[in-house]
Amino acid sequence: MGQKRDLTGSEKSKIVRYLAEGCSTLKIAKLLKCDHRTIKRFIQNSQQGRKKRVKKPRCKITAHELRRVKRAAAKMPLATSFAIFQSCNITGVPKSTRCAILRDMAKTDGPMAGSVKGRQLQSDSDASKDGVKLNSQFLEDTFFKQWYRKKSASFKKNMIFMQDNAPSHTSKYSTAWLARKGLKEEKLMTWPPCSPDLNPIENLWSLIKCEIYKEGKQSTSLNSVWEAVVAAARNVDREQIKTLTESMDGKLLSVLAKKGGYIGH
């Protein structure tokens, strides 16, 4: 007691759990047999580490930048909006604005429209057909049926299914299909629309996406996309995964400090 020391990973996890239970720093210090100032210092450092300077996002782009985006979209029909804007050296534009700009391009007539509309993934059998749209029927045919059928009975019995609130996930068609498979109520984890995203896998996906589209790489079919994802996932450094996992303590503390509100990540 009273000596300054570093907390172990186990102790940090316990602090987060005790805070969630409403324990004071003094009580936590007694439970962990350490100085209460050590607990306070850990909480302060975790919260300060989450503070980032947020630049004001751009809501518009210039006409010259718009022409560059059109040319880039025509050259990279399967790239993400981030990759397209990055190739044009246009930064600070939020995802919602990027997507809105590309959607407006797809609605306009002209030679660029077909290229932008072709951003949807196309099948291997016939690349000239319309792009594949991720609707409820496609989700059932390509994911639910192919993935769910391969799982064992014991796995299906113990599994808890989680998905976000994408329209194709929450439609009556998808909900009914899940219910027929027994994935409802306690077997289907709810996803509050305004909850902070505390899943480190989202950050991992970001690393994988950067690897996939590095140096302007493009995929022309579903199979090539899948191969790129697998290759990128295998190249992820274990230290990066460890860092993402260890960052959860600070994120949880930030959520507690915000009382469940948005924490800016």
Side-chain angles (χ1 to χ4, degrees), residues 15-106:
I15 291 173
V16 173
R17 188 173 73 251
Y18 290 146
L19 286 172
E21 294 173 356
C23 297
S24 65
T25 54
L26 286 174
K27 184 176 180 180
I28 296 174
K30 290 180 180 179
L31 291 171
L32 298 181
K33 298 181 180 180
C34 64
D35 195 296
H36 73 281
R37 289 171 294 185
T38 303
I39 308 298
K40 288 184 177 180
R41 186 167 55 251
F42 167 69
I43 296 173
Q44 291 173 355
N45 292 340
S46 298
Q47 292 177 351
Q48 289 174 359
R50 297 300 306 164
K51 292 181 180 178
K52 295 181 180 179
R53 185 178 178 182
V54 180
K55 294 182 179 179
K56 188 176 181 180
R58 297 175 57 186
C59 297
K60 296 181 180 179
I61 62 174
T62 65
H64 177 65
E65 289 174 332
L66 183 61
R67 289 192 292 271
R68 285 158 52 194
V69 170
K70 284 184 177 181
R71 288 194 293 268
K75 293 179 181 178
M76 303 186 297
L78 296 178
T80 62
S81 62
F82 177 79
I84 291 174
F85 277 71
Q86 191 178 44
S87 67
C88 301
N89 294 322
I90 302 174
T91 59
V93 182
K95 182 178 179 180
S96 57
T97 303
R98 297 195 306 264
C99 293
I101 291 172
L102 293 173
R103 280 197 300 268
D104 290 340
M105 289 183 191

Side-chain angles (χ1 to χ4, degrees), residues 162-165 188-197 199 202:
M162 181 181 73
Q163 59 183 356
D164 59 24
N165 291 323
L188 185 63
M189 184 179 292
T190 56
W191 189 293
C194 297
S195 65
D197 196 347
N199 194 345
E202 298 297 336

